[in-house]
Amino acid sequence: MPGRGPRPASASASTLFAYGAAAGLAVDRLIGDPRRGHPVAAFGRAANAVERRLHRDHRGWGALHTAVCAGSAVALGALAARTARGSRAATVAVTAAAVWAVVGGTTLGREARAIGGALAAGDEEVARERIPHLCGRDPQALDGPAMARAVVESVAENTSDAVVGALVWGAVAGVPGLLGFRAVNTLDAMVGHRSPRHLRFGWASARLDDLVGAPGARLTAVLAAVAGDDPRGALRAWRTDAARHPSPNAGPVEAAFAGALGVRLGGTLAYGGRVEHRPVLNGRGRAVEVADIERAVRLSRRVTWLTLAVCVGGRTLMSTAHKLTAHKRTARKRRTT
C-alpha cells in the first residue's frame, strides 16, 4: 500500500523480550543454578585472571580492570544479540539463556530455605555451614536469631542484585544489559569490598555497581511494598531508615522488606573478624523468627514476577512511543513535500 513503510525493527522487541525473559525465569525456576560450569563462575575466573595481570594499588588500574571485564561482557551480549537478530526464535532463545545465566532467584530461595530448615530443626551447626553459601558474614559470630536475620537480609538484597536489577537492565538494553549488569555486580562482590588489596583497586567497580544497581534497588523496594503484607509499613521504613544504611542500594531494599514483613533488620554484624554496628531498619517491627525466612522467600518470588510485568510493560510503552514518534515524523515530512 502506498505510504506504508517497512515495520520498524523494534516493533516486536517488547514481545520477544517478554517471551525470552519469561522462559529464562521459568528455566531458573525449574533447575536453578548448575553446580558446575555456571557462566557467572566462568566470568569470575576470567576476571581473576585479568586482575592478576592488572592489579596495582591504584584507582586508575582498577578502573581499567572494570572496563575490560564489564566491557567484554557487554560486547559478548551485543554479539549474541546481533547474531540472533534475523530470527525471532533465536532472539527469544538468546534472551532466555541470558536471563537464566544472570538471575539467581531459585538458588537464593533454596539456600535460604536450607538454612531455615536447619534452624527449625535446632541444628545451628548445619545452618552455620550453609551461611557462607548465601552471604559473607562470619557464621561463628552468629547465633540462631542472628542467622535468621542474616538470611532475611540476604534474601532482600539479593532479590535486587540477583534478579530485579538484571531484568531492569535487560528491559533497557537487551542481552548486553543483562550480561553487563551481572558482570558489574560480580566485580563488586570480588573486588568492591574495602580490603587492603582492593581499597583503591576496587573503587571503580564499587561505584559503578552503586550506579547501575540504583534503578533495580528502587524498583525492588516499591514492589516489596506492593507485594508485602504491610505496604504502609514498607514505605514508612524505606522513607525513615533507608538513608541510614551504609549501602545506597541495600538500604531501600532491606528497609522495604523489613517493613513489608513487619520485622526489624540491621544491627550488629561481623564480616571476616570485622564488626559493624549498622542502624536498625523498621524499629517498630519485631525480631526476626525462623518462619520469616519462608515469608521473605515468598515475597522475593512475588517481586520477581511483578518485575517481569513491569519490565515488559515498560518496553511495550517505549516501543509504542517510538512507533508514534516515527509516524509523526513521517507525517511532517509528507506535509512539507
Side-chain angles (χ1 to χ4, degrees):
M1 178 181 287
R4 287 189 68 179
R7 187 180 184 184
S10 62
S12 62
S14 59
T15 301
L16 298 181
F17 174 78
Y19 289 157
L25 288 176
V27 173
D28 176 67
R29 181 74 178 87
L30 289 173
I31 65 175
D33 295 337
R35 294 183 180 276
R36 296 180 180 178
H38 195 288
V40 174
F43 171 81
R45 290 192 294 271
N48 267 329
V50 175
E51 181 186 350
R52 285 195 294 270
R53 290 182 174 274
L54 295 182
H55 184 271
R56 308 286 190 282
D57 189 20
H58 191 277
R59 285 184 175 183
W61 284 95
L64 177 60
H65 173 258
T66 301
V68 168
C69 295
S72 297
V74 171
L76 177 62
L79 177 62
R82 184 178 182 84
T83 302
R85 187 174 297 173
S87 166
R88 293 191 176 192
T91 298
V92 170
V94 168
T95 302
V99 168
W100 168 78
V102 303
V103 302
T106 295
T107 298
L108 172 66
R110 286 176 182 171
E111 291 296 336
R113 282 171 168 155
I115 298 171
L119 290 174
D123 198 338
E124 293 189 0
E125 286 307 311
V126 170
R128 288 192 182 93
E129 290 175 3
R130 299 197 70 97
I131 282 285
H133 295 218
L134 195 63
C135 61
R137 300 184 191 181
D138 180 5
Q140 301 307 317
L142 303 175
D143 59 11
M147 281 190 278
R149 192 192 78 200
V151 171
V152 171
E153 290 172 354
S154 295
V155 168
E157 184 175 3
N158 283 295
T159 299
S160 175
D161 288 345
V163 181
V164 178
L167 290 175
V168 167
W169 281 102
V172 171
V175 175
L178 287 164
L179 299 191
F181 174 83
R182 173 53 61 220
V184 171
N185 188 251
T186 302
L187 289 172
D188 177 59
M190 294 173 65
V191 304
H193 43 83
R194 301 193 174 204
S195 66
R197 176 179 173 83
H198 294 129
L199 183 61
R200 295 182 180 84
F201 185 81
W203 177 85
S205 290
R207 298 290 78 75
L208 184 58
D209 182 67
D210 287 343
L211 179 64
V212 302
R218 274 68 189 171
L219 179 59
T220 303
V222 169
L223 296 182
V226 171
D229 296 334
D230 186 358
R232 290 185 179 179
L235 294 174
R236 181 179 61 247
W238 179 9
R239 184 179 63 253
T240 60
D241 298 333
R244 301 162 57 206
H245 195 285
S247 168
N249 293 333
V253 173
E254 291 184 20
F257 262 70
L261 297 171
V263 300
R264 293 192 306 274
L265 299 179
T268 302
L269 48 86
Y271 285 96
R274 176 172 51 88
V275 176
E276 289 187 18
H277 299 284
R278 292 186 177 177
V280 173
L281 306 176
N282 192 39
R284 299 183 181 185
R286 56 175 173 76
V288 175
E289 300 172 355
V290 173
D292 294 317
I293 293 176
E294 178 63 26
R295 295 177 63 224
V297 171
R298 290 180 179 177
L299 177 58
S300 174
R301 187 169 296 168
R302 291 196 296 270
V303 168
T304 295
W305 293 107
L306 284 173
T307 300
L308 177 62
V310 170
C311 290
V312 170
R315 283 203 65 139
T316 301
L317 289 175
M318 289 169 58
S319 178
T320 302
H322 175 78
K323 191 173 182 179
L324 290 173
T325 301
H327 279 310
K328 289 180 180 179
R329 288 176 180 172
T330 301
R332 283 197 298 266
K333 287 181 180 179
R334 288 175 180 171
R335 287 195 296 267
T336 58
T337 57

